[in-house]
Amino acid sequence: ANWHKKMRLRFPGAKLFDDPDAPKLLIRTCLDLCGGLNDRLGQLPWDLYIANQTNRILLLHWHRPVPLEHLLIPNELDWSVPKTMPGFFPNSNEIRVSREAMKVVRSLPELFDLDESRPDDTFWSRLDASLSNARNDAKILRHRLLGHLNEDILEERMGRLRETDLLHNTASFGTIFWMFFRPATGVQQALDSVYDSLQLQPNSYSAIHCRVRHPKATPKDVIIKGKNQEYTADKTGLPWHGATKAHAV
């Protein structure tokens, strides 16, 4: 983290991309459908590990449903792509990046040779070679691996390195999250409104999130279409009536 901060100060703005003396970059991208919030942000310890092992500056870049910076902004560690970089952000009159501009980010070479974000059966045996090659590969690499799908393999790997604060079950995750993020203005205002309406004092209450309207709230052998019958409920919401409602409850 300290090295990251020094490099961003030394190479401000577009210099991080353009200056030949700037360090190499690793960008976690989400350009299309790439899972829910945990798929995107539950990977922070894993992303830090990869960036550390490849000696690259770690950046995060989404533009679906909107650029990540609309929701969360850098806190102690600046993970943001400079606003002046072409193809990364919407034009002033747009909400999303155009498909034409999106080709800029899509054309970046990927850290891992994967058909999609999910690792195949041979991926983990090739991990060391991939990380070693990444130290010498292109100036900018992007990645979209969902490492938590095989987190037991990662935990075993870290254990062999005598690491006790592991990647996915780490007690440090909260510290890592707040090192990366603080709420954008609109999100903070929404949080403040909830605090006021429920008379909550920060750090002195508990909360539970019950994910009962997800398709997993159905028997294993039942496939539920969503409100839109063309898509699964995971994309469009679980119909809240009849058998699905009764099972979820």
Side-chain angles (χ1 to χ4, degrees), residues 26 28 42-53 58 111-112 123-124 127 131 143-148 154 157-158 166-168 170 173 176:
L26 176 66
R28 174 176 275 282
Q43 313 292 309
L44 292 176
W46 170 227
D47 292 345
L48 279 175
Y49 173 72
I50 295 176
N52 177 271
Q53 294 295 300
L58 175 63
L111 169 63
F112 298 120
F123 172 80
W124 301 103
L127 179 59
L131 296 179
H143 99 99
R144 52 201 172 97
L145 176 72
L146 298 182
H148 70 80
L154 285 171
R157 174 188 181 86
M158 299 306 288
L166 300 177
L167 285 170
H168 291 91
T170 174
F173 185 87
I176 292 170

PDB file of all heavy atoms in Angstrom, residues 26 28 42-53 58 111-112 123-124 127 131 143-148 154 157-158 166-168 170 173 176:
ATOM      1  N   LEU A  26      -2.243  -3.257 -13.104  1.00  0.00           N
ATOM      2  CA  LEU A  26      -3.198  -4.354 -13.116  1.00  0.00           C
ATOM      3  C   LEU A  26      -4.572  -3.758 -12.835  1.00  0.00           C
ATOM      4  O   LEU A  26      -4.770  -3.111 -11.807  1.00  0.00           O
ATOM      5  CB  LEU A  26      -2.856  -5.389 -12.040  1.00  0.00           C
ATOM      6  CG  LEU A  26      -3.842  -6.543 -11.877  1.00  0.00           C
ATOM      7  CD1 LEU A  26      -3.854  -7.423 -13.131  1.00  0.00           C
ATOM      8  CD2 LEU A  26      -3.504  -7.384 -10.646  1.00  0.00           C
ATOM      9  N   ARG A  28      -8.588  -4.484 -12.359  1.00  0.00           N
ATOM     10  CA  ARG A  28      -9.746  -5.384 -12.266  1.00  0.00           C
ATOM     11  C   ARG A  28     -10.909  -4.697 -12.957  1.00  0.00           C
ATOM     12  O   ARG A  28     -11.309  -3.595 -12.585  1.00  0.00           O
ATOM     13  CB  ARG A  28     -10.125  -5.705 -10.819  1.00  0.00           C
ATOM     14  CG  ARG A  28     -11.419  -6.535 -10.766  1.00  0.00           C
ATOM     15  CD  ARG A  28     -11.815  -6.977  -9.399  1.00  0.00           C
ATOM     16  NE  ARG A  28     -11.162  -8.205  -8.986  1.00  0.00           N
ATOM     17  CZ  ARG A  28     -11.519  -9.434  -9.381  1.00  0.00           C
ATOM     18  NH1 ARG A  28     -12.507  -9.589 -10.259  1.00  0.00           N
ATOM     19  NH2 ARG A  28     -10.895 -10.493  -8.924  1.00  0.00           N
ATOM     20  N   GLY A  42     -15.619  -8.622  -2.998  1.00  0.00           N
ATOM     21  CA  GLY A  42     -15.139  -9.633  -2.062  1.00  0.00           C
ATOM     22  C   GLY A  42     -13.775 -10.166  -2.442  1.00  0.00           C
ATOM     23  O   GLY A  42     -13.185 -10.960  -1.715  1.00  0.00           O
ATOM     24  N   GLN A  43     -13.272  -9.711  -3.598  1.00  0.00           N
ATOM     25  CA  GLN A  43     -11.981 -10.178  -4.094  1.00  0.00           C
ATOM     26  C   GLN A  43     -10.818  -9.269  -3.699  1.00  0.00           C
ATOM     27  O   GLN A  43      -9.682  -9.484  -4.136  1.00  0.00           O
ATOM     28  CB  GLN A  43     -12.005 -10.239  -5.626  1.00  0.00           C
ATOM     29  CG  GLN A  43     -13.215 -10.913  -6.223  1.00  0.00           C
ATOM     30  CD  GLN A  43     -13.222 -12.393  -5.931  1.00  0.00           C
ATOM     31  OE1 GLN A  43     -12.242 -13.091  -6.162  1.00  0.00           O
ATOM     32  NE2 GLN A  43     -14.319 -12.888  -5.400  1.00  0.00           N
ATOM     33  N   LEU A  44     -11.065  -8.248  -2.902  1.00  0.00           N
ATOM     34  CA  LEU A  44     -10.010  -7.256  -2.638  1.00  0.00           C
ATOM     35  C   LEU A  44      -8.717  -7.863  -2.083  1.00  0.00           C
ATOM     36  O   LEU A  44      -7.630  -7.508  -2.558  1.00  0.00           O
ATOM     37  CB  LEU A  44     -10.534  -6.173  -1.689  1.00  0.00           C
ATOM     38  CG  LEU A  44     -11.614  -5.249  -2.256  1.00  0.00           C
ATOM     39  CD1 LEU A  44     -12.101  -4.294  -1.174  1.00  0.00           C
ATOM     40  CD2 LEU A  44     -11.102  -4.470  -3.456  1.00  0.00           C
ATOM     41  N   PRO A  45      -8.770  -8.782  -1.097  1.00  0.00           N
ATOM     42  CA  PRO A  45      -7.506  -9.364  -0.621  1.00  0.00           C
ATOM     43  C   PRO A  45      -6.783 -10.143  -1.722  1.00  0.00           C
ATOM     44  O   PRO A  45      -5.555 -10.090  -1.826  1.00  0.00           O
ATOM     45  CB  PRO A  45      -7.946 -10.283   0.520  1.00  0.00           C
ATOM     46  CG  PRO A  45      -9.265  -9.743   0.958  1.00  0.00           C
ATOM     47  CD  PRO A  45      -9.918  -9.233  -0.290  1.00  0.00           C
ATOM     48  N   TRP A  46      -7.540 -10.864  -2.539  1.00  0.00           N
ATOM     49  CA  TRP A  46      -6.974 -11.615  -3.662  1.00  0.00           C
ATOM     50  C   TRP A  46      -6.354 -10.673  -4.678  1.00  0.00           C
ATOM     51  O   TRP A  46      -5.237 -10.899  -5.179  1.00  0.00           O
ATOM     52  CB  TRP A  46      -8.100 -12.461  -4.260  1.00  0.00           C
ATOM     53  CG  TRP A  46      -7.909 -13.173  -5.557  1.00  0.00           C
ATOM     54  CD1 TRP A  46      -8.787 -13.173  -6.595  1.00  0.00           C
ATOM     55  CD2 TRP A  46      -6.842 -14.040  -5.960  1.00  0.00           C
ATOM     56  NE1 TRP A  46      -8.325 -13.969  -7.622  1.00  0.00           N
ATOM     57  CE2 TRP A  46      -7.126 -14.504  -7.258  1.00  0.00           C
ATOM     58  CE3 TRP A  46      -5.656 -14.439  -5.361  1.00  0.00           C
ATOM     59  CZ2 TRP A  46      -6.282 -15.371  -7.964  1.00  0.00           C
ATOM     60  CZ3 TRP A  46      -4.813 -15.298  -6.065  1.00  0.00           C
ATOM     61  CH2 TRP A  46      -5.131 -15.754  -7.337  1.00  0.00           C
ATOM     62  N   ASP A  47      -7.027  -9.564  -4.977  1.00  0.00           N
ATOM     63  CA  ASP A  47      -6.481  -8.590  -5.924  1.00  0.00           C
ATOM     64  C   ASP A  47      -5.183  -7.978  -5.393  1.00  0.00           C
ATOM     65  O   ASP A  47      -4.222  -7.777  -6.150  1.00  0.00           O
ATOM     66  CB  ASP A  47      -7.503  -7.482  -6.196  1.00  0.00           C
ATOM     67  CG  ASP A  47      -8.712  -7.989  -6.971  1.00  0.00           C
ATOM     68  OD1 ASP A  47      -8.633  -9.102  -7.532  1.00  0.00           O
ATOM     69  OD2 ASP A  47      -9.728  -7.272  -7.015  1.00  0.00           O
ATOM     70  N   LEU A  48      -5.169  -7.668  -4.108  1.00  0.00           N
ATOM     71  CA  LEU A  48      -3.943  -7.132  -3.504  1.00  0.00           C
ATOM     72  C   LEU A  48      -2.809  -8.140  -3.589  1.00  0.00           C
ATOM     73  O   LEU A  48      -1.657  -7.778  -3.865  1.00  0.00           O
ATOM     74  CB  LEU A  48      -4.185  -6.767  -2.031  1.00  0.00           C
ATOM     75  CG  LEU A  48      -4.858  -5.438  -1.744  1.00  0.00           C
ATOM     76  CD1 LEU A  48      -5.116  -5.312  -0.244  1.00  0.00           C
ATOM     77  CD2 LEU A  48      -3.989  -4.273  -2.211  1.00  0.00           C
ATOM     78  N   TYR A  49      -3.121  -9.405  -3.352  1.00  0.00           N
ATOM     79  CA  TYR A  49      -2.121 -10.468  -3.418  1.00  0.00           C
ATOM     80  C   TYR A  49      -1.524 -10.558  -4.827  1.00  0.00           C
ATOM     81  O   TYR A  49      -0.300 -10.601  -5.006  1.00  0.00           O
ATOM     82  CB  TYR A  49      -2.752 -11.799  -3.016  1.00  0.00           C
ATOM     83  CG  TYR A  49      -1.850 -12.993  -3.202  1.00  0.00           C
ATOM     84  CD1 TYR A  49      -0.762 -13.202  -2.355  1.00  0.00           C
ATOM     85  CD2 TYR A  49      -2.070 -13.911  -4.220  1.00  0.00           C
ATOM     86  CE1 TYR A  49       0.072 -14.300  -2.526  1.00  0.00           C
ATOM     87  CE2 TYR A  49      -1.248 -15.011  -4.398  1.00  0.00           C
ATOM     88  CZ  TYR A  49      -0.176 -15.196  -3.554  1.00  0.00           C
ATOM     89  OH  TYR A  49       0.652 -16.270  -3.721  1.00  0.00           O
ATOM     90  N   ILE A  50      -2.396 -10.555  -5.855  1.00  0.00           N
ATOM     91  CA  ILE A  50      -1.911 -10.653  -7.237  1.00  0.00           C
ATOM     92  C   ILE A  50      -1.065  -9.431  -7.595  1.00  0.00           C
ATOM     93  O   ILE A  50       0.002  -9.554  -8.205  1.00  0.00           O
ATOM     94  CB  ILE A  50      -3.096 -10.771  -8.216  1.00  0.00           C
ATOM     95  CG1 ILE A  50      -3.855 -12.073  -7.981  1.00  0.00           C
ATOM     96  CG2 ILE A  50      -2.605 -10.722  -9.654  1.00  0.00           C
ATOM     97  CD1 ILE A  50      -5.096 -12.202  -8.839  1.00  0.00           C
ATOM     98  N   ALA A  51      -1.530  -8.247  -7.218  1.00  0.00           N
ATOM     99  CA  ALA A  51      -0.779  -7.026  -7.531  1.00  0.00           C
ATOM    100  C   ALA A  51       0.588  -7.056  -6.866  1.00  0.00           C
ATOM    101  O   ALA A  51       1.610  -6.666  -7.465  1.00  0.00           O
ATOM    102  CB  ALA A  51      -1.571  -5.798  -7.085  1.00  0.00           C
ATOM    103  N   ASN A  52       0.623  -7.536  -5.623  1.00  0.00           N
ATOM    104  CA  ASN A  52       1.885  -7.624  -4.901  1.00  0.00           C
ATOM    105  C   ASN A  52       2.823  -8.615  -5.578  1.00  0.00           C
ATOM    106  O   ASN A  52       4.031  -8.341  -5.753  1.00  0.00           O
ATOM    107  CB  ASN A  52       1.625  -8.036  -3.458  1.00  0.00           C
ATOM    108  CG  ASN A  52       2.901  -8.211  -2.660  1.00  0.00           C
ATOM    109  OD1 ASN A  52       3.456  -9.310  -2.648  1.00  0.00           O
ATOM    110  ND2 ASN A  52       3.354  -7.169  -2.005  1.00  0.00           N
ATOM    111  N   GLN A  53       2.306  -9.773  -5.959  1.00  0.00           N
ATOM    112  CA  GLN A  53       3.140 -10.814  -6.558  1.00  0.00           C
ATOM    113  C   GLN A  53       3.664 -10.441  -7.941  1.00  0.00           C
ATOM    114  O   GLN A  53       4.686 -10.957  -8.381  1.00  0.00           O
ATOM    115  CB  GLN A  53       2.353 -12.122  -6.651  1.00  0.00           C
ATOM    116  CG  GLN A  53       2.000 -12.739  -5.309  1.00  0.00           C
ATOM    117  CD  GLN A  53       3.238 -13.178  -4.547  1.00  0.00           C
ATOM    118  OE1 GLN A  53       4.001 -14.004  -5.020  1.00  0.00           O
ATOM    119  NE2 GLN A  53       3.431 -12.612  -3.371  1.00  0.00           N
ATOM    120  N   LEU A  58      -2.456  -1.593  -8.571  1.00  0.00           N
ATOM    121  CA  LEU A  58      -3.800  -2.139  -8.706  1.00  0.00           C
ATOM    122  C   LEU A  58      -4.815  -1.020  -8.900  1.00  0.00           C
ATOM    123  O   LEU A  58      -4.894  -0.093  -8.092  1.00  0.00           O
ATOM    124  CB  LEU A  58      -4.161  -2.950  -7.464  1.00  0.00           C
ATOM    125  CG  LEU A  58      -5.588  -3.497  -7.395  1.00  0.00           C
ATOM    126  CD1 LEU A  58      -5.845  -4.493  -8.531  1.00  0.00           C
ATOM    127  CD2 LEU A  58      -5.849  -4.147  -6.035  1.00  0.00           C
ATOM    128  N   LEU A 111      -4.543 -10.751 -17.724  1.00  0.00           N
ATOM    129  CA  LEU A 111      -3.546 -11.399 -16.887  1.00  0.00           C
ATOM    130  C   LEU A 111      -3.631 -12.916 -17.006  1.00  0.00           C
ATOM    131  O   LEU A 111      -2.616 -13.601 -17.146  1.00  0.00           O
ATOM    132  CB  LEU A 111      -3.753 -10.974 -15.423  1.00  0.00           C
ATOM    133  CG  LEU A 111      -2.982 -11.739 -14.356  1.00  0.00           C
ATOM    134  CD1 LEU A 111      -1.486 -11.564 -14.541  1.00  0.00           C
ATOM    135  CD2 LEU A 111      -3.396 -11.280 -12.961  1.00  0.00           C
ATOM    136  N   PHE A 112      -4.845 -13.447 -16.962  1.00  0.00           N
ATOM    137  CA  PHE A 112      -5.035 -14.890 -17.004  1.00  0.00           C
ATOM    138  C   PHE A 112      -5.713 -15.298 -18.302  1.00  0.00           C
ATOM    139  O   PHE A 112      -6.618 -14.620 -18.774  1.00  0.00           O
ATOM    140  CB  PHE A 112      -5.888 -15.358 -15.820  1.00  0.00           C
ATOM    141  CG  PHE A 112      -5.258 -15.094 -14.485  1.00  0.00           C
ATOM    142  CD1 PHE A 112      -5.904 -14.292 -13.556  1.00  0.00           C
ATOM    143  CD2 PHE A 112      -4.026 -15.635 -14.153  1.00  0.00           C
ATOM    144  CE1 PHE A 112      -5.337 -14.045 -12.315  1.00  0.00           C
ATOM    145  CE2 PHE A 112      -3.447 -15.388 -12.911  1.00  0.00           C
ATOM    146  CZ  PHE A 112      -4.102 -14.597 -11.992  1.00  0.00           C
ATOM    147  N   PHE A 123      -6.450 -24.227 -14.084  1.00  0.00           N
ATOM    148  CA  PHE A 123      -5.972 -22.875 -13.771  1.00  0.00           C
ATOM    149  C   PHE A 123      -4.969 -22.845 -12.622  1.00  0.00           C
ATOM    150  O   PHE A 123      -3.922 -22.210 -12.707  1.00  0.00           O
ATOM    151  CB  PHE A 123      -7.159 -21.961 -13.440  1.00  0.00           C
ATOM    152  CG  PHE A 123      -6.735 -20.617 -12.922  1.00  0.00           C
ATOM    153  CD1 PHE A 123      -6.333 -19.630 -13.794  1.00  0.00           C
ATOM    154  CD2 PHE A 123      -6.714 -20.333 -11.558  1.00  0.00           C
ATOM    155  CE1 PHE A 123      -5.913 -18.387 -13.327  1.00  0.00           C
ATOM    156  CE2 PHE A 123      -6.303 -19.104 -11.085  1.00  0.00           C
ATOM    157  CZ  PHE A 123      -5.906 -18.140 -11.982  1.00  0.00           C
ATOM    158  N   TRP A 124      -5.295 -23.520 -11.523  1.00  0.00           N
ATOM    159  CA  TRP A 124      -4.489 -23.366 -10.311  1.00  0.00           C
ATOM    160  C   TRP A 124      -3.104 -23.969 -10.447  1.00  0.00           C
ATOM    161  O   TRP A 124      -2.157 -23.488  -9.831  1.00  0.00           O
ATOM    162  CB  TRP A 124      -5.245 -23.947  -9.115  1.00  0.00           C
ATOM    163  CG  TRP A 124      -6.542 -23.240  -8.949  1.00  0.00           C
ATOM    164  CD1 TRP A 124      -7.781 -23.691  -9.295  1.00  0.00           C
ATOM    165  CD2 TRP A 124      -6.727 -21.903  -8.480  1.00  0.00           C
ATOM    166  NE1 TRP A 124      -8.724 -22.727  -9.055  1.00  0.00           N
ATOM    167  CE2 TRP A 124      -8.113 -21.620  -8.550  1.00  0.00           C
ATOM    168  CE3 TRP A 124      -5.853 -20.923  -7.991  1.00  0.00           C
ATOM    169  CZ2 TRP A 124      -8.640 -20.399  -8.155  1.00  0.00           C
ATOM    170  CZ3 TRP A 124      -6.380 -19.714  -7.609  1.00  0.00           C
ATOM    171  CH2 TRP A 124      -7.759 -19.451  -7.688  1.00  0.00           C
ATOM    172  N   LEU A 127      -0.990 -21.216 -11.962  1.00  0.00           N
ATOM    173  CA  LEU A 127      -1.019 -19.903 -11.325  1.00  0.00           C
ATOM    174  C   LEU A 127       0.378 -19.300 -11.169  1.00  0.00           C
ATOM    175  O   LEU A 127       0.594 -18.132 -11.508  1.00  0.00           O
ATOM    176  CB  LEU A 127      -1.708 -19.989  -9.961  1.00  0.00           C
ATOM    177  CG  LEU A 127      -1.777 -18.677  -9.169  1.00  0.00           C
ATOM    178  CD1 LEU A 127      -2.526 -17.611  -9.955  1.00  0.00           C
ATOM    179  CD2 LEU A 127      -2.440 -18.900  -7.815  1.00  0.00           C
ATOM    180  N   LEU A 131       1.642 -15.719 -12.787  1.00  0.00           N
ATOM    181  CA  LEU A 131       2.112 -14.578 -12.007  1.00  0.00           C
ATOM    182  C   LEU A 131       3.544 -14.210 -12.383  1.00  0.00           C
ATOM    183  O   LEU A 131       3.899 -13.026 -12.444  1.00  0.00           O
ATOM    184  CB  LEU A 131       2.014 -14.894 -10.517  1.00  0.00           C
ATOM    185  CG  LEU A 131       0.607 -15.110  -9.963  1.00  0.00           C
ATOM    186  CD1 LEU A 131       0.653 -15.439  -8.477  1.00  0.00           C
ATOM    187  CD2 LEU A 131      -0.269 -13.891 -10.206  1.00  0.00           C
ATOM    188  N   HIS A 143      -7.765  -8.012 -15.291  1.00  0.00           N
ATOM    189  CA  HIS A 143      -8.189  -9.342 -14.871  1.00  0.00           C
ATOM    190  C   HIS A 143      -9.594  -9.277 -14.297  1.00  0.00           C
ATOM    191  O   HIS A 143     -10.058  -8.240 -13.857  1.00  0.00           O
ATOM    192  CB  HIS A 143      -7.165  -9.949 -13.891  1.00  0.00           C
ATOM    193  CG  HIS A 143      -7.529  -9.843 -12.455  1.00  0.00           C
ATOM    194  ND1 HIS A 143      -8.102 -10.882 -11.763  1.00  0.00           N
ATOM    195  CD2 HIS A 143      -7.380  -8.835 -11.559  1.00  0.00           C
ATOM    196  CE1 HIS A 143      -8.287 -10.515 -10.507  1.00  0.00           C
ATOM    197  NE2 HIS A 143      -7.863  -9.291 -10.355  1.00  0.00           N
ATOM    198  N   ARG A 144     -10.268 -10.437 -14.315  1.00  0.00           N
ATOM    199  CA  ARG A 144     -11.665 -10.510 -13.880  1.00  0.00           C
ATOM    200  C   ARG A 144     -11.946 -11.843 -13.206  1.00  0.00           C
ATOM    201  O   ARG A 144     -13.088 -12.289 -13.158  1.00  0.00           O
ATOM    202  CB  ARG A 144     -12.605 -10.290 -15.073  1.00  0.00           C
ATOM    203  CG  ARG A 144     -12.300 -11.185 -16.260  1.00  0.00           C
ATOM    204  CD  ARG A 144     -12.881 -10.628 -17.565  1.00  0.00           C
ATOM    205  NE  ARG A 144     -12.420 -11.380 -18.717  1.00  0.00           N
ATOM    206  CZ  ARG A 144     -13.116 -12.366 -19.292  1.00  0.00           C
ATOM    207  NH1 ARG A 144     -14.303 -12.693 -18.830  1.00  0.00           N
ATOM    208  NH2 ARG A 144     -12.628 -13.004 -20.326  1.00  0.00           N
ATOM    209  N   LEU A 145     -10.901 -12.474 -12.677  1.00  0.00           N
ATOM    210  CA  LEU A 145     -11.047 -13.794 -12.070  1.00  0.00           C
ATOM    211  C   LEU A 145     -11.887 -13.739 -10.797  1.00  0.00           C
ATOM    212  O   LEU A 145     -11.674 -12.886  -9.933  1.00  0.00           O
ATOM    213  CB  LEU A 145      -9.662 -14.349 -11.734  1.00  0.00           C
ATOM    214  CG  LEU A 145      -9.651 -15.691 -10.996  1.00  0.00           C
ATOM    215  CD1 LEU A 145     -10.065 -16.812 -11.933  1.00  0.00           C
ATOM    216  CD2 LEU A 145      -8.286 -15.972 -10.406  1.00  0.00           C
ATOM    217  N   LEU A 146     -12.844 -14.662 -10.678  1.00  0.00           N
ATOM    218  CA  LEU A 146     -13.595 -14.816  -9.439  1.00  0.00           C
ATOM    219  C   LEU A 146     -12.862 -15.828  -8.563  1.00  0.00           C
ATOM    220  O   LEU A 146     -13.152 -17.024  -8.569  1.00  0.00           O
ATOM    221  CB  LEU A 146     -15.024 -15.286  -9.732  1.00  0.00           C
ATOM    222  CG  LEU A 146     -15.875 -14.326 -10.570  1.00  0.00           C
ATOM    223  CD1 LEU A 146     -17.276 -14.890 -10.753  1.00  0.00           C
ATOM    224  CD2 LEU A 146     -15.935 -12.956  -9.919  1.00  0.00           C
ATOM    225  N   GLY A 147     -11.885 -15.352  -7.819  1.00  0.00           N
ATOM    226  CA  GLY A 147     -11.040 -16.230  -7.030  1.00  0.00           C
ATOM    227  C   GLY A 147     -11.771 -16.954  -5.930  1.00  0.00           C
ATOM    228  O   GLY A 147     -11.357 -18.042  -5.519  1.00  0.00           O
ATOM    229  N   HIS A 148     -12.879 -16.407  -5.448  1.00  0.00           N
ATOM    230  CA  HIS A 148     -13.569 -17.021  -4.316  1.00  0.00           C
ATOM    231  C   HIS A 148     -14.249 -18.330  -4.696  1.00  0.00           C
ATOM    232  O   HIS A 148     -14.660 -19.095  -3.829  1.00  0.00           O
ATOM    233  CB  HIS A 148     -14.585 -16.050  -3.705  1.00  0.00           C
ATOM    234  CG  HIS A 148     -15.776 -15.779  -4.572  1.00  0.00           C
ATOM    235  ND1 HIS A 148     -16.833 -16.638  -4.662  1.00  0.00           N
ATOM    236  CD2 HIS A 148     -16.062 -14.740  -5.393  1.00  0.00           C
ATOM    237  CE1 HIS A 148     -17.735 -16.151  -5.497  1.00  0.00           C
ATOM    238  NE2 HIS A 148     -17.291 -15.006  -5.952  1.00  0.00           N
ATOM    239  N   LEU A 154      -6.907 -21.411  -2.557  1.00  0.00           N
ATOM    240  CA  LEU A 154      -6.132 -20.224  -2.196  1.00  0.00           C
ATOM    241  C   LEU A 154      -5.733 -20.244  -0.727  1.00  0.00           C
ATOM    242  O   LEU A 154      -4.597 -19.903  -0.368  1.00  0.00           O
ATOM    243  CB  LEU A 154      -6.946 -18.961  -2.491  1.00  0.00           C
ATOM    244  CG  LEU A 154      -7.064 -18.574  -3.962  1.00  0.00           C
ATOM    245  CD1 LEU A 154      -8.058 -17.443  -4.123  1.00  0.00           C
ATOM    246  CD2 LEU A 154      -5.720 -18.162  -4.513  1.00  0.00           C
ATOM    247  N   ARG A 157      -2.911 -22.592  -0.253  1.00  0.00           N
ATOM    248  CA  ARG A 157      -1.686 -21.990  -0.801  1.00  0.00           C
ATOM    249  C   ARG A 157      -1.079 -21.004   0.199  1.00  0.00           C
ATOM    250  O   ARG A 157       0.126 -21.019   0.460  1.00  0.00           O
ATOM    251  CB  ARG A 157      -2.041 -21.284  -2.112  1.00  0.00           C
ATOM    252  CG  ARG A 157      -0.911 -20.485  -2.745  1.00  0.00           C
ATOM    253  CD  ARG A 157      -1.441 -19.683  -3.933  1.00  0.00           C
ATOM    254  NE  ARG A 157      -0.389 -18.932  -4.579  1.00  0.00           N
ATOM    255  CZ  ARG A 157       0.400 -19.405  -5.507  1.00  0.00           C
ATOM    256  NH1 ARG A 157       0.246 -20.654  -5.933  1.00  0.00           N
ATOM    257  NH2 ARG A 157       1.346 -18.658  -6.050  1.00  0.00           N
ATOM    258  N   MET A 158      -1.909 -20.149   0.780  1.00  0.00           N
ATOM    259  CA  MET A 158      -1.414 -19.169   1.739  1.00  0.00           C
ATOM    260  C   MET A 158      -0.893 -19.858   3.002  1.00  0.00           C
ATOM    261  O   MET A 158       0.079 -19.422   3.614  1.00  0.00           O
ATOM    262  CB  MET A 158      -2.513 -18.171   2.091  1.00  0.00           C
ATOM    263  CG  MET A 158      -3.029 -17.365   0.911  1.00  0.00           C
ATOM    264  SD  MET A 158      -1.742 -16.496  -0.002  1.00  0.00           S
ATOM    265  CE  MET A 158      -1.338 -15.205   1.170  1.00  0.00           C
ATOM    266  N   LEU A 166      -5.699 -15.074   6.257  1.00  0.00           N
ATOM    267  CA  LEU A 166      -5.921 -15.613   4.929  1.00  0.00           C
ATOM    268  C   LEU A 166      -6.738 -14.681   4.045  1.00  0.00           C
ATOM    269  O   LEU A 166      -7.219 -13.637   4.477  1.00  0.00           O
ATOM    270  CB  LEU A 166      -6.572 -16.988   5.048  1.00  0.00           C
ATOM    271  CG  LEU A 166      -5.725 -18.013   5.833  1.00  0.00           C
ATOM    272  CD1 LEU A 166      -6.478 -19.331   5.973  1.00  0.00           C
ATOM    273  CD2 LEU A 166      -4.379 -18.244   5.176  1.00  0.00           C
ATOM    274  N   LEU A 167      -6.900 -15.089   2.778  1.00  0.00           N
ATOM    275  CA  LEU A 167      -7.460 -14.190   1.780  1.00  0.00           C
ATOM    276  C   LEU A 167      -8.954 -13.956   1.914  1.00  0.00           C
ATOM    277  O   LEU A 167      -9.425 -12.839   1.820  1.00  0.00           O
ATOM    278  CB  LEU A 167      -7.173 -14.734   0.379  1.00  0.00           C
ATOM    279  CG  LEU A 167      -5.729 -14.571  -0.096  1.00  0.00           C
ATOM    280  CD1 LEU A 167      -5.512 -15.361  -1.367  1.00  0.00           C
ATOM    281  CD2 LEU A 167      -5.421 -13.108  -0.349  1.00  0.00           C
ATOM    282  N   HIS A 168      -9.721 -15.019   2.115  1.00  0.00           N
ATOM    283  CA  HIS A 168     -11.173 -14.864   2.085  1.00  0.00           C
ATOM    284  C   HIS A 168     -11.808 -14.844   3.461  1.00  0.00           C
ATOM    285  O   HIS A 168     -12.868 -14.265   3.637  1.00  0.00           O
ATOM    286  CB  HIS A 168     -11.793 -15.972   1.231  1.00  0.00           C
ATOM    287  CG  HIS A 168     -11.469 -15.810  -0.218  1.00  0.00           C
ATOM    288  ND1 HIS A 168     -10.372 -16.392  -0.802  1.00  0.00           N
ATOM    289  CD2 HIS A 168     -12.062 -15.084  -1.187  1.00  0.00           C
ATOM    290  CE1 HIS A 168     -10.320 -16.048  -2.075  1.00  0.00           C
ATOM    291  NE2 HIS A 168     -11.328 -15.257  -2.342  1.00  0.00           N
ATOM    292  N   THR A 170     -10.301 -13.529   6.035  1.00  0.00           N
ATOM    293  CA  THR A 170      -9.433 -12.639   6.780  1.00  0.00           C
ATOM    294  C   THR A 170     -10.207 -11.712   7.720  1.00  0.00           C
ATOM    295  O   THR A 170     -11.213 -11.119   7.334  1.00  0.00           O
ATOM    296  CB  THR A 170      -8.567 -11.790   5.835  1.00  0.00           C
ATOM    297  OG1 THR A 170      -7.830 -10.842   6.612  1.00  0.00           O
ATOM    298  CG2 THR A 170      -9.413 -11.026   4.821  1.00  0.00           C
ATOM    299  N   PHE A 173     -10.449  -7.947   6.508  1.00  0.00           N
ATOM    300  CA  PHE A 173     -11.179  -7.496   5.325  1.00  0.00           C
ATOM    301  C   PHE A 173     -11.774  -6.104   5.515  1.00  0.00           C
ATOM    302  O   PHE A 173     -11.742  -5.272   4.605  1.00  0.00           O
ATOM    303  CB  PHE A 173     -12.285  -8.481   4.942  1.00  0.00           C
ATOM    304  CG  PHE A 173     -12.966  -8.094   3.653  1.00  0.00           C
ATOM    305  CD1 PHE A 173     -12.465  -8.508   2.443  1.00  0.00           C
ATOM    306  CD2 PHE A 173     -14.086  -7.274   3.652  1.00  0.00           C
ATOM    307  CE1 PHE A 173     -13.060  -8.122   1.249  1.00  0.00           C
ATOM    308  CE2 PHE A 173     -14.690  -6.883   2.474  1.00  0.00           C
ATOM    309  CZ  PHE A 173     -14.176  -7.323   1.271  1.00  0.00           C
ATOM    310  N   ILE A 176      -9.136  -3.591   4.990  1.00  0.00           N
ATOM    311  CA  ILE A 176      -8.800  -3.488   3.565  1.00  0.00           C
ATOM    312  C   ILE A 176      -9.880  -2.708   2.823  1.00  0.00           C
ATOM    313  O   ILE A 176      -9.582  -1.822   2.014  1.00  0.00           O
ATOM    314  CB  ILE A 176      -8.629  -4.893   2.958  1.00  0.00           C
ATOM    315  CG1 ILE A 176      -7.385  -5.574   3.543  1.00  0.00           C
ATOM    316  CG2 ILE A 176      -8.529  -4.833   1.441  1.00  0.00           C
ATOM    317  CD1 ILE A 176      -7.257  -7.034   3.184  1.00  0.00           C
TER     318      ILE A 176
END
